[in-house]
Amino acid sequence: MATDDLTTEEIGTRLVGYASQMAALTARFLELLAEFDRRGGWSGEGIMSCAHWLTWRTGLSIRTAQEHLRIAHALPELPLLRQAFTEGRLSYSKVRALTRVATPEREEELLNVALSATASQVERLVQSIRNVDRHKDESERGTIDSSSSWSWNFDGSLSVKLRLSPLDGARFLAGVVRAEYERTRAAGDPDLPTEPAPDEDAPDVTKKSPGHPGSADLWRNVPSDIAPAVVAMGDTMQSTISVPEFVPGAELVVHTHDDADPHLDDGPALEDAEVDEAACGGAVRKVKHGKKRKGARGIVLNYGRKRRMPTRKVMRVLFERDRCCQHPGCGRTRHLHAHHVQFWSQDGPTNPDNLILLCSAHHRALHRGEFAIKAHGRQQFSFHRPDGSTIERAPAVHKPEGWQPDTAIDDAAVLPISPGRHLDAGYATEVLYAAWAWKARQSDADLAAA
């Protein structure tokens, strides 16, 4: 039946029914995913992890894939949550939150709450439990760990959240005070020190009245709105600390012999693939020796020129073009190497038509023969398996043969038992911890009786 032929009520009913089916199917998906990862079914063709395989084959982002894997491996230890998920009674959003704090000892109470709460209420409850757990852990250790998070908002603004230990917090506020002073001072301000630094015999300037030129009593209070000062701190770091635009690897010296394996300067032997990898990853100088004589290292025939790294201009072109590792589905943005598709040792040119960005892991996998790259000119490349077949950038996704919705799943399974009921996260957390403490005492008593 076409969507236009359905009433609004019928559409709503189907949405709820489909949501229940989606929850049950996601549970089955995660069950299969955990087994697939345990078997290592994702390995090969330069695939670095199961999350990487998911990104490539199913179109998930790397963070979503990693979260799927976390949940998939957590559920086997939580049979009650897994059963409710399989029956479509728990949504993926609820399961994702619950598995952050659930343990076999906690899951019964958490399940009871989750079945009667909305997903947002479960998220708030889980956050409350995580806060209590963190505070308990820090109290036991006697230390507080500084942490932070940041995210871009839909309106383009940036949100930053900091939780700092007392000492780190004091350091941060001291930096804010200094940044605010630097941001707001101007020539002629009474707080601006204009007198030269006094010598040892001069009067103590700290005894001068506040506001007097040269007074040390400057900016003792933290501004209530620290945002401008924090931005000033960022501007200061950006303008005073220089970092290299690109950081090529250190120079490697590789010795080659007519009758022996190549080796690092005063170091171990290298395989041919490792020599090729080193030549791509940094500045390399090859030293060619003649045949070894008994008791001698062999005559140096050629102290080769150091390989020329891509110029900054070429590197800018590569970063603007690729932005990340180009192996299908990878997308890593750190520890990138400019790889010569036609090896530099085989006279491959150092230009964008022959250079492609690979992360360090895929660069090594390529030189080990797990996959190959072909350059087609005009900065176009393709990836290939050892048998020559093409590794697709985004394989087609389709449903399995013969799949049908599970008729055992109730159409309204995913709905909360008491939708819309207010949940006091603080009170609920207090009740849960009381229940868990009682269970722990009962368990201890049973052990003592035994």
Side-chain angles (χ1 to χ4, degrees):
M1 182 181 294
T3 303
D4 292 343
D5 297 331
L6 297 173
T7 65
T8 302
E9 183 179 355
E10 289 173 331
I11 291 175
T13 300
R14 294 199 178 193
L15 287 174
V16 174
Y18 290 169
S20 301
Q21 291 286 339
M22 287 168 59
L25 190 57
T26 302
R28 178 58 176 162
F29 173 87
L30 295 179
E31 181 183 350
L32 294 173
L33 177 60
E35 182 62 23
F36 185 71
D37 190 21
R38 280 192 290 269
R39 296 185 184 185
W42 47 267
S43 60
E45 302 167 1
I47 305 299
M48 297 292 107
S49 66
C50 192
H52 177 200
W53 184 91
L54 275 178
T55 298
W56 172 48
R57 291 303 303 271
T58 66
L60 298 177
S61 70
I62 189 64
R63 288 188 178 181
T64 301
Q66 291 168 342
E67 190 74 345
H68 276 45
L69 277 165
R70 179 189 67 80
I71 300 167
H73 287 298
L75 284 174
E77 304 298 323
L78 305 167
L80 299 180
L81 292 182
R82 181 177 61 181
Q83 182 65 26
F85 194 19
T86 303
E87 295 170 353
R89 295 188 293 140
L90 284 181
S91 67
Y92 171 76
S93 295
K94 291 183 180 180
V95 172
R96 179 184 60 191
L98 291 171
T99 50
R100 296 183 185 128
V101 296
T103 63
E105 296 75 26
R106 289 179 168 185
E107 66 166 334
E108 182 179 359
E109 292 78 17
L110 289 172
L111 174 60
N112 291 335
V113 174
L115 290 175
S116 301
T118 64
S120 62
Q121 289 172 338
V122 172
E123 286 277 3
R124 286 171 43 225
L125 177 64
V126 167
Q127 185 59 49
S128 179
I129 293 173
R130 294 182 76 181
N131 288 338
V132 173
D133 287 346
R134 184 179 66 242
H135 287 309
K136 280 189 173 182
D137 179 61
E138 291 176 343
S139 178
E140 291 174 358
R141 289 187 288 112
T143 60
I144 296 177
D145 296 326
S146 295
S147 60
S148 66
S149 62
W150 61 270
S151 62
W152 290 107
N153 301 317
F154 290 117
D155 62 359
S157 60
L158 178 70
S159 292
V160 180
K161 183 178 180 180
L162 293 172
R163 181 177 181 267
L164 303 178
S165 68
L167 183 57
D168 288 347
R171 287 170 174 162
F172 175 75
L173 291 180
V176 167
V177 170
R178 290 170 179 265
E180 182 72 357
Y181 167 63
E182 181 66 21
R183 184 183 73 86
T184 58
R185 71 172 180 165
D189 279 356
D191 281 336
L192 184 65
T194 56
E195 295 182 348
D199 52 37
E200 294 181 358
D201 297 330
D204 186 355
V205 295
T206 59
K207 297 180 180 178
K208 296 181 180 180
S209 59
H212 185 283
S215 172
D217 188 13
L218 300 172
W219 285 100
R220 287 186 174 273
N221 297 319
V222 179
S224 57
D225 180 8
I226 67 173
V230 171
V231 173
M233 290 167 66
D235 288 340
T236 301
M237 292 298 100
Q238 197 172 21
S239 59
T240 60
I241 299 178
S242 299
V243 296
E245 294 185 53
F246 302 102
V247 186
E251 178 176 300
L252 302 178
V253 178
V254 179
H255 296 262
T256 60
H257 304 268
D258 291 338
D259 56 352
D261 293 330
H263 64 87
L264 293 173
D265 188 40
D266 198 24
L270 299 175
E271 297 179 0
D272 291 341
E274 291 177 315
V275 174
D276 288 334
E277 180 187 344
C280 272
V284 172
R285 193 186 301 277
K286 287 188 178 180
V287 182
K288 183 173 177 58
H289 294 261
K291 290 185 177 181
K292 285 187 177 181
R293 295 177 297 168
K294 188 175 181 179
R297 294 182 58 189
I299 301 173
V300 175
L301 300 179
N302 180 31
Y303 194 76
R305 67 182 178 88
K306 186 168 70 173
R307 188 184 78 75
R308 182 176 66 85
M309 293 292 291
T311 64
R312 288 184 177 182
K313 183 177 180 180
V314 171
M315 289 300 292
R316 288 193 192 98
V317 170
L318 292 183
F319 274 91
E320 184 66 28
R321 184 194 71 192
D322 294 347
R323 298 284 182 171
C324 61
C325 174
Q326 291 301 287
H327 187 282
C330 180
R332 293 183 183 178
T333 58
R334 295 186 177 183
H335 308 297
L336 301 181
H337 298 172
H339 169 68
H340 288 68
V341 176
Q342 180 184 345
F343 291 173
W344 183 83
S345 60
Q346 299 173 4
D347 298 326
T350 305
N351 60 42
D353 284 345
N354 191 50
L355 292 171
I356 190 170
L357 292 184
L358 295 176
C359 68
S360 55
H362 280 116
H363 196 192
R364 176 159 297 180
L366 181 141
H367 283 287
R368 288 176 175 174
E370 295 183 22
F371 65 93
I373 304 176
K374 291 182 180 179
H376 303 284
R378 297 181 178 274
Q379 302 186 41
Q380 298 297 312
F381 306 91
S382 58
F383 287 72
H384 300 268
R385 300 179 180 88
D387 63 6
S389 59
T390 301
I391 302 176
E392 303 90 343
R393 286 272 176 189
V397 178
H398 54 82
K399 73 174 184 179
E401 291 288 339
W403 180 84
Q404 295 293 331
D406 188 347
T407 56
I409 303 301
D410 189 285
D411 286 343
V414 79
L415 287 176
I417 296 173
S418 302
R421 187 177 67 179
H422 174 69
L423 177 68
D424 186 328
Y427 176 73
T429 303
E430 184 178 346
V431 172
L432 285 173
Y433 274 96
W436 294 333
W438 180 85
K439 289 174 66 175
R441 289 194 299 272
Q442 289 296 110
S443 178
D444 291 341
D446 292 342
L447 288 174

